[in-house]
Amino acid sequence: MSRAMQCQSCLPWGSWARLPRSLAGSRGTRGVSVRAAAVPGPAGRCFLGKILCTSSISLPRGCVRYQGGSQQNPAQPGSSRHGQSQLRNVASSGAIKKHQQSLSAWFSHQPNEERQFGPSFSLDAVHVDPVIRESSLEEILKPSPDLTIQNQLQQPSRRVISLHNLFDMDACGRQVKNVVLYGTVGTGKSTLIKKMVVDWCHGRLPRFELVIPFSCEDLSHSHAHVSLRRLITKKYQHLRDVVPVLEASNLKVLFILNGLERLNLDFRLAGTELCCDPNEPVPPSAIVVNLLRKYLLPEASIIVTTRPSAVRRIPGKYVGRYAEICGFSDTNLQKLYFQMRLSQPGCTGEESQDCSSAEQENLVEMLSRNLERHNQITAACFLPSYCWLVCTTLHFLYFTRTVPPSQTLTGIYTSFLRLNFSGEVLDSTDPTHISMMKYVAKTVGKLAYEGVMSRKTCFSEEDLQQCFEVEMKTESELNLLEVFRSDVFRFFLSPCVQPGKEHTFVFTIPAMQEYLAALYVVLGEKKTLAQRVGQELSEVIGKVSEDVAVVVNIISKVLPLRFLPVLFNLLKIFPRYFSRVSGKDKDAIAHTMADELFKEEDYYNDDVLDQINSSILGVEGPLRHPDEAPDDEVFELFPIFMGGILSRRNRAILEQLGCSIKNLAAFEIAKAMKKTVIRKGRKGLPPSELMDYLFFLHEFQNERFTAEAIRSLRAVNLSSVKMTPLKCSVLASVMSTTCHEVEELNLTSCNLDSGSLRTLFPVLLRCKALHLQLNSLGSDACKEIRDLLLHDKCVVSSLRLANNPVGEQGARYLAEALAGNRSLTQLSLLHTALGDPGAEAIAQHLAENQHLQELNLGYNSLTDTAALRVVEVAKRHETLDKVHLYFNDISEDGKRALDSLRMDRDGVRALVFLTAGTDVSDYWSHILNVVQRNLPFWDRERVRQHLALLLQDLESSRSQTANPWRKAKFLRVESEVKKMLGKLQDGTL
């Protein structure tokens, strides 16, 4: 077959050598070889009639088929001049120019997902052409090689060809007219065609004077007969004056047929009659067939895009060139795409361009390094669509300042699948018409779910056979599997790049495994054999019993068969009983979600957003040794995706993809979740796990459910969680579902800045105890805190700002806040670089405050003057009774002045040293605990010096007392200080 195909492909256009074999029902005819040109119009039909009479071949009306290459027209000077004249008239009318403007506006339009999940970029601004390699029908038909990363990324034996050179002469010197451009899902076929059309609109495709694109999906939905002329003018009204002269002129026309797999084409003469008249109404599929046969507009060029499984629907004799889109098989193309996409102005959506540009450059650099490691992301970004997903996810993680309901991680993945599958059926020739996404959910989803349950990410051939082949029963199922293998398999699964695992497969994007596992569960595909049989039996009985009951009721009125209606009424009970039993499935889904969400072995992992970030950008540091035992796989996104899929918006998108989740099912699952998820969420969770829980509530997008869950959280501890702008937005969004007061919000060491405080402002207003230590909050952040404390709805009573670079200016903002605040009772400014000017600013406004009870100014380099000034103001304060001044530069004279303060006389106590006159201070353990807690963030040498001073002070005070009880107390405290000094010098503290 292949040799015959090769010989035939070398024949010039217009060869009839194979025509008699291809004619159905032409018995008794004799073969004839004729070279002729397509001559449209009456003259052409007369010429063909002579040929047919001579050769005694009976053909339907229309022109004969020509080989998919060049044609040699006989000289027709009069006709040519007339056509050129008409063309000039058309060109002067501007019809084609209007057509270009219309196409440019339409094809430059980006899908909703582009605008929803990031800034919208034009194709001219961000586009990298994927690798296109010339192919042949023999290569398409032969078995594919082992799917390894080397075969996927390196294919040197096939010639690379550019998009603009697809219609160049082939190896036999023929001008190519018909091109089949094929590629698996996600390789960028549609985007490439859009770029081709936009290039022609802007004059970058001079080979063609007119481009007419058609969507085969649109054509497949039209069943009425229509002529080519009507089909063009109906879609492109500007071409009304051009279409009549298409046949007569020498206009270089390109037809684009995108998505040929949507059409069922029949190239047999018995199935599709020949037609060369653009005005003759025929089915749309017949127009496509005759265009490819070159009976209709033989001079026109045609480019067809399709998936690999549908390539064979076009006989090879009608194809001049096969070309395969190989995606970004070169990592340099991947880097170029990321560079262009992530470095675009406006990508961050921020006004501060210097800061945002640095962050963009850092992202690109980290991503490039991860690609150079030939990590699994290299295999993923072989598909341009996954490059889009990576950029969109990074934009979501780094540049999201607010999170409207439409922006969720689940929404990104659901929309990504809609962009690539858009409700397509897996095989248009299959009678079941199962959608591609539904098939993926049933098969790949099963593989994903079993991998999640067994904590496995690598799958062997046996695993794949168990999920895809074990239930193959019919020819139709086997055909669907073959289509899936050729078109979709590499979209979801790719060869593993880890040494020793080259012949196993992993999910192309790790998070996709958890998404598909979640979809598999939520769709109810996880059923036992008894459940499946019961459901099918229930549906059959339900349908039959209704019809039979009607007949029996009629018969029972005539015949005394009163037991029959009773029997059939009993039969109708089964579907109702089964529906109640099947309702337990919703409880099982809710329990699965709760168990996976609160799995204790995952309590101390990074939160899921940091895990996604690491999977894309990699983990900085030395690579793992191949013999080193791998960490346990973590699947914390699985329950979060389950909740996200149940949101109304994602269910609507999945409905378009053929995966229906009914409103009642979602309601029952949410109802069952209240018994499990909310109850377990009330327990104390580690900070990273609590962040995952909040993110789950955001993804679920159920306001009533979220409000009930949040009301049960009286304290929120997110300490040491890196609160990116996205996480701050998620926290603010989730907490906004209620208005209850929060007892405590701990945001210690969370990388907060002034922007984070602005995002969290509504939440902070409702928090009684607010911990903001160790966040590098400077004067800008203090300005936000000032506005917070002066707000009339502020309930903050305890504010801790220790170990932040507040500085003098920040102290002034806080002093203004103290003057007007009515709720604050405790303020900690420990180690905030206030200095004497900052303390002086606090002291100036302290008298205007009426509620503060405790003020901590320790470790701020205060001298005697500033310390005594604060204490003098504190003496006159109505409620302030405690001032922390330890670890400051206070002299012995200052110490004696502060030691002389008496609570009963002066109304304030100053905590400066571990001693109080000739006794040990009641707060010595508190001071040492503060030192021990903050030692990792303080200057160790300075702490050592202060501890030495404290030790000297203890020894001096002990020598001044004769009370043995007091001496024992001094000795105990001295031992604690010496122990701390020893550990500090040894480096063990």
Side-chain angles (χ1 to χ4, degrees), residues 396-445:
F396 179 69
L397 292 175
Y398 281 88
F399 306 127
T400 300
R401 299 295 180 258
T402 58
V403 281
S406 60
Q407 284 202 1
T408 63
L409 186 66
T410 314
I412 289 176
Y413 275 76
T414 307
S415 298
F416 168 70
L417 293 173
R418 180 173 65 176
L419 277 174
N420 287 278
F421 294 97
S422 62
E424 289 186 51
V425 297
L426 182 61
D427 185 4
S428 61
T429 63
D430 186 77
T432 62
H433 292 290
I434 184 172
S435 75
M436 197 181 299
M437 198 59 228
K438 180 71 172 178
Y439 186 88
V440 167
K442 290 166 69 76
T443 55
V444 188

Side-chain angles (χ1 to χ4, degrees), residues 591-610:
H591 279 289
T592 300
M593 200 179 304
D595 292 342
E596 292 296 323
L597 188 61
F598 301 108
K599 200 176 276 287
E600 291 189 6
E601 54 262 39
D602 296 336
Y603 267 15
Y604 299 98
N605 299 325
D606 292 339
D607 62 80
V608 291
L609 294 175
D610 285 347

